[in-house]
Amino acid sequence: MEALSYINGRWVHGADLEHPKEVYNPSNTEELVGRWNPVDQGQAQQAVAAAAEAFPGWRDKTWVERGQWLQKMADAMAGTRSELGLLASREMGKPLGEMLGEVDRGVALLRYYAGEGTRAMGEVYPSQLPDALLFTERRPLGPVLIITPWNFPVAIPIWKMAPALVFGNTVVFKSAEWASLTAARMLQIFDQVGLPPGVLNLVMGSGSRIGPVLTQSAQIRAISFTGSQAVGSGVAQAAVTHGARFQLELGGKNPAIVLDDADVPTAVERILSGALRSAGQKCTATSRVIATPGVMAALTEALQARIKELRQAPATEQDVFLGPVVSAAQARSIEQRLEAALSQGGRVLCGPKASAHLPPGHYIAPTLVDHAPVGGVLHQEELFGPVIGLFAASDPVQAIKIANDVPYGLSASLFTRDLDLALYYMRHMEAGLVRVNEESAGVEYQAPFGGVKESSMGPREQGRAAIEFYTETRTLTVRPSC
Ligand code: NAD
């Protein structure tokens, strides 16, 4: 596949000819999946200008009409489910079953936000003025920039662009380098519905080269960013300098706390799903398991036994629990942090060397490490890979303290049958998603999503919460003329 960017309703070859990209399948690096060329800074500016020019026309369409467009986008995407899922799986290594589920999620998100075109968008208030009508309405902001990571190549772009569009904003979509083929194919699918030129633009390119041009553009009125902490803070600074609204969804170091009374088989299944699906490359992935003394031995044994049964294979094969990680650089970064954790006292119980029978690819076997210190690398840093750190706590209160003792606060889970302890945890756990007897990963699109502490900044994403970010409220008063 030769992927192109999409600017002002036209497919364009990226003009940055010095940095052509070839995409090799992370499950088998001998397989070339496609090619693309990054846009240059001038093309990035053209995309912003196109979104700015298209804005008044798009804003002035009815909410209902914009919702109908989203409905058509959903239909078009549903019709290409298998093809899009397969391409994404080959591009970034997510197991095909999971990837198809993600495409379904994308379709559901589009339909949900299509519905927003027919829901209430303001409130009526009693006025102090006789016979006055006092009410609010929501207005779009203007051109918005969405910057996305590679780990949910379909769902994250859609959960940003769908609300942006239905509420009347135009969009510049800066896709992740490792998910560009998928982004371009998605835009081809959406192109079939005939959106007006400039309403939705895609620029594929390196974040460090075109990111500043996009984020510093005064025409951009809001930036929705999902990615790493390091990049996100620069994006926020750029937004503030020209008064654009911003929203950051960043990393996580998500705990699963297992208490003495937990049902161990259930806890093990949900922890492994949370930690190892997508090879641990989810912001909500479980990366720390914290257990109290009465359950530690049984839990450790059960985790080890079950990890040995998990099937790691090329992402496009059937019944794969986990495939490769996305890139050689990602694999190196995980291995380096793991080495640091071992040098701090960590002991490997499973992994990380993958089976020699796998094709050449970026595989790291599911890895379980105990004895790493609280406060050390494995306890504090996001590895973004299939690595679980096992930590001991003397009692439930200390377990929650160890869980909270990190800069992040995205998601957390607790396994117990004790309602009082569950309530205590729900009150004290510092996380945006607080779950009991459920894995830390897994998001429902109709409910608000986001973290606390350094995991997020700005209004929540998804569900009805998205209207807070993508619109501003006006208060209107009308009185009889005499
Ligand atoms: P990243 O920060 O490297 O890149 C994210 C995006 O930012 C990419 O599109 C990249 O090209 C772009 N970018 C890079 N430099 C830029 C710059 N100077 N200006 C503007 N844009 C720039 O992150 P990644 O490696 O793609 O994704 C992994 C990270 O994302 C992890 O930390 C993970 O936890 C996080 N993440 C968070 C959530 C969430 O909802 N909280 C969801 C998924 C991933």
Side-chain angles (χ1 to χ4, degrees), residues 175-462:
S175 56
E177 288 92 319
W178 296 105
S180 293
L181 302 179
T182 307
R185 184 69 192 109
M186 226 174 8
L187 267 279
Q188 281 176 353
I189 293 165
F190 296 156
D191 190 31
Q192 296 165 21
V193 313
L195 286 170
V199 166
L200 177 59
N201 306 274
L202 167 68
V203 285
M204 301 188 298
S206 134
S208 55
R209 275 190 291 275
I210 61 165
V213 172
L214 295 166
T215 56
Q216 290 167 18
S217 167
Q219 287 175 304
I220 292 292
R221 301 316 307 139
I223 307 175
S224 181
F225 172 87
T226 299
S228 62
Q229 170 77 24
V231 176
S233 57
V235 167
Q237 280 168 23
V240 167
T241 54
H242 62 90
R245 200 174 266 204
F246 66 90
Q247 170 183 63
L248 308 179
E249 290 300 340
L250 308 169
K253 190 68 199 166
N254 312 295
I257 300 172
V258 185
L259 301 185
D260 287 356
D261 69 335
D263 181 79
V264 171
T266 303
V268 165
E269 288 313 308
R270 294 179 190 171
I271 287 169
L272 293 183
S273 175
L276 301 176
R277 295 267 180 207
S278 295
Q281 300 166 111
K282 294 182 186 175
C283 52
T284 50
T286 304
S287 59
R288 295 177 296 155
V289 174
I290 303 163
T292 46
V295 73
M296 183 55 112
L299 181 70
T300 308
E301 194 182 320
L303 283 169
Q304 279 179 279
R306 195 61 192 102
I307 285 173
K308 288 191 183 125
E309 291 169 3
L310 299 180
R311 180 156 184 261
Q312 182 168 37
T316 50
E317 286 188 10
Q318 292 292 312
D319 303 322
V320 174
F321 198 94
L322 76 163
V325 297
V326 69
S327 65
Q330 182 70 14
R332 250 195 326 278
S333 145
I334 296 164
E335 282 159 1
Q336 280 167 357
R337 286 200 169 97
L338 191 54
E339 277 163 26
L342 300 188
S343 73
Q344 292 175 336
R347 181 181 65 158
V348 168
L349 300 176
C350 304
K353 200 162 166 25
S355 158
H357 301 299
L358 290 164
H362 311 305
Y363 296 96
I364 295 180
T367 300
L368 183 65
V369 175
D370 70 356
H371 292 182
V374 169
V377 169
L378 202 57
H379 179 256
Q380 293 288 309
E381 292 185 23
E382 183 184 47
L383 273 67
F384 224 54
V387 180
I388 306 169
L390 197 48
F391 298 91
S394 54
D395 56 48
V397 172
Q398 197 205 17
I400 293 167
K401 199 165 169 309
I402 292 171
N404 280 335
D405 189 16
V406 291
Y408 295 113
L410 189 53
S411 184
S413 51
L414 170 80
F415 294 90
T416 187
R417 294 181 169 108
D418 186 320
L419 179 60
D420 287 354
L421 286 172
L423 287 168
Y424 178 88
Y425 151 87
M426 286 192 274
R427 264 200 313 280
H428 292 89
M429 190 65 229
E430 295 165 2
L433 306 171
V434 181
R435 318 187 98 194
V436 178
N437 295 320
E438 178 52 306
E439 64 174 89
S440 66
V443 168
E444 301 213 36
Y445 62 83
Q446 69 278 23
F449 171 71
V452 301
K453 303 202 291 193
E454 291 182 21
S455 286
S456 293
M457 204 178 281
R460 293 288 183 248
E461 295 199 272
Q462 305 200 54

